[in-house]
Amino acid sequence: MSPLSGKVQTVLGPMDPNQLGRTLTHEHLSMTFESCYVAPLPGDEDVATAPIEMKNLHWLHQNPYSSQENLLLCQETEAVREELLSFRRAGGGAIVENTTTGISRNLGILQQLSKDTGVHIVAGAGFYVDQTHSDQTRKMSVEQLTDVIKNEVLHGADGTDIRCGVIGEIGMSWPMTESEKKVLRATASAQVELGCPVIIHPGRNPAAPAEIVRILQEAGGDIDKTVMSHLDRTIFDRRELLEFAKLGSYLEYDLFGTEVLNYPFNLEIDMPSDSQRVETLAFLLQEGYEDRILVAHDIHTKNRLTKYGGHGYSHILRNIVPKMLSRGMSQGQVDRILIENSRRWLTFK
Ligand SMILES: CCC(=O)NCCS(=O)(=O)O
């Protein structure tokens, strides 16, 4: 049996899962996202290169990936520290920090933030999407990738002794690349050996989540201990959503606070509003998936911090929970989503 069995592994070490409290299962506290820069529309070059200021905030909100400065969340540790203190005051307990190799994971910062604020932080092992894979990563076999991931959980990542407590977010494109498929198989192998939680970033296509589950299953992965992220921008048809839900992963709605007219990564997609996200949660609850739902904001750019007029890490606790209650969800259901489901997922087998 793993020494981590029955525990959650945070950046400060293993802990009793009952100490976690309300948990956001998909956030970033320090990362870079330059790999996903989107060139500004013709005519927007000036605003795209201007410093972030009040008069640009609406543009930035609609075009978050077209400002290089906005993609450097790693420069905002002070602001994030303040936000985490505010998250605690709002009743928050823990955050899963999903930054993996390829988008500038910084475990030292995560550990310091946890010490300074008292928020429990669980760090992510593994690799982001193909376009961030190094040549070295691409050349590795599934066995070598498995060893890298296991090492990040058992001994520490990025040359530190700070250990990851989940595998992910594991980045997948659509269609998946060969390098991503190897990482996915390695994720499943490491999960089998470690009994640990896994979280996946699917490509932007309704078929992507089920295809990922199929590959994980073939490689022996534990779907019951796997989160499928970003369902808000991936599966829109309710019948398709129920088909996917039957496969047994956790169903994560993690883009709360993102309300954008033109979704820059796929203009075919109409990003739902927060009200529509709450409606979908109510639908899944009605269909019996109370023990599978997880929520978060997936903050990964500066403009979403309160310092820049954004909603911040407390939006779900301060605004979405009251909305859920006003739409007929019970306090028990809210606690199931924010406390019990995340605790069950994060606890090593
Ligand atoms: C690293 C942050 C990230 O991948 N966020 C997902 C954004 S989206 O694909 O859902 O738009």
Side-chain angles (χ1 to χ4, degrees):
M1 195 199 281
S2 154
L4 289 168
S5 182
K7 300 273 187 215
V8 169
Q9 180 152 270
T10 73
V11 290
L12 295 178
M15 65 177 272
D16 175 352
N18 292 315
Q19 307 289 309
L20 284 174
R22 294 184 187 84
T23 302
L24 301 174
T25 48
H26 198 131
E27 302 296 342
H28 300 269
L29 304 175
S30 180
M31 63 167 275
T32 60
F33 210 37
E34 292 148 304
S35 52
C36 293
Y37 174 73
V38 175
L41 292 172
D44 282 355
E45 294 84 356
D46 285 353
V47 64
T49 50
I52 300 177
E53 55 182 324
M54 187 73 117
K55 68 179 182 184
N56 299 340
L57 288 186
H58 179 70
W59 180 87
L60 198 59
H61 187 75
Q62 296 296 328
N63 301 277
Y65 309 115
S66 298
S67 153
Q68 294 280 9
E69 187 193 341
N70 197 38
L71 305 179
L72 300 175
L73 189 63
C74 63
Q75 295 175 333
E76 297 297 342
T77 304
E78 270 319 305
V80 169
R81 183 178 287 115
E82 288 306 310
E83 291 241 3
L84 291 182
L85 292 169
S86 169
F87 172 67
R88 279 209 71 190
R89 287 195 294 276
I95 282 184
V96 182
E97 215 284 1
N98 279 255
T99 307
T100 43
T101 299
I103 46 176
S104 312
R105 177 177 51 200
N106 190 326
L107 290 160
I109 285 181
L110 301 190
Q111 193 178 63
Q112 194 58 50
L113 283 170
S114 185
K115 283 181 185 162
D116 292 348
T117 65
V119 173
H120 304 295
I121 298 176
V122 177
F127 301 86
Y128 193 56
V129 296
D130 182 284
Q131 68 205 71
T132 69
H133 292 185
S134 66
D135 289 345
Q136 193 193 8
T137 300
R138 283 179 214 288
K139 284 187 193 133
M140 284 189 204
S141 64
V142 173
E143 292 70 28
Q144 287 169 320
L145 290 163
T146 305
D147 282 346
V148 172
I149 294 172
K150 275 172 52 188
N151 209 42
E152 290 180 350
V153 174
L154 292 176
H155 304 295
D158 306 333
T160 75
D161 62 359
I162 304 169
R163 294 162 195 189
C164 299
V166 303
I167 305 176
E169 63 184 295
I170 296 298
M172 295 291 124
S173 312
W174 185 263
M176 276 174 261
T177 69
E178 283 313 308
S179 190
E180 288 172 344
K181 285 181 190 169
K182 275 195 294 175
V183 168
L184 203 50
R185 293 190 181 105
T187 295
S189 303
Q191 185 185 38
V192 180
E193 290 188 47
L194 301 172
C196 71
V198 160
I199 182 162
I200 306 288
H201 162 114
R204 298 175 187 95
N205 185 290
E211 181 63 5
I212 290 164
V213 165
R214 189 187 65 73
I215 294 174
L216 285 172
Q217 266 169 338
E218 271 178 16
D222 185 355
I223 304 310
D224 182 51
K225 222 161 174 52
T226 297
V227 174
M228 192 56 65
S229 303
H230 311 325
L231 287 176
D232 351 21
R233 55 84 165 141
T234 312
I235 301 182
F236 301 93
D237 180 88
R238 290 208 163 160
R239 198 179 42 79
E240 284 178 37
L241 179 58
L242 290 184
E243 281 304 302
F244 177 71
K246 279 190 213 152
L247 301 180
S249 76
Y250 285 94
L251 309 167
E252 191 177 73
Y253 285 78
D254 51 27
L255 295 167
F256 274 99
T258 301
E259 297 196 337
V260 64
L261 187 60
N262 295 306
Y263 174 52
F265 293 142
N266 186 340
L267 295 172
E268 301 287 304
I269 287 175
D270 284 331
M271 184 63 83
S273 66
D274 280 353
S275 296
Q276 289 168 315
R277 290 184 178 98
V278 171
E279 272 174 30
T280 306
L281 296 188
F283 168 71
L284 286 169
L285 287 171
Q286 197 188 336
E287 293 291 330
Y289 289 98
E290 183 165 315
D291 63 351
R292 293 280 105 189
I293 301 169
L294 295 170
V295 292
H297 312 93
D298 187 19
I299 291 182
H300 53 276
T301 51
K302 290 185 185 184
N303 68 301
R304 297 179 65 198
L305 300 175
T306 53
K307 173 180 171 184
Y308 294 101
H311 53 78
Y313 297 94
S314 304
H315 175 55
I316 288 178
L317 295 183
R318 291 190 198 277
N319 305 313
I320 300 300
V321 166
K323 177 87 178 183
M324 288 161 80
L325 295 171
S326 86
R327 288 296 179 267
M329 296 179 205
S330 68
Q331 188 60 51
Q333 287 174 318
V334 170
D335 290 347
R336 214 93 67 228
I337 293 170
L338 279 165
I339 303 173
E340 293 164 33
N341 293 350
S342 42
R343 179 174 62 206
R344 188 184 328 106
W345 170 56
L346 286 168
T347 304
F348 278 63
K349 274 195 166 168

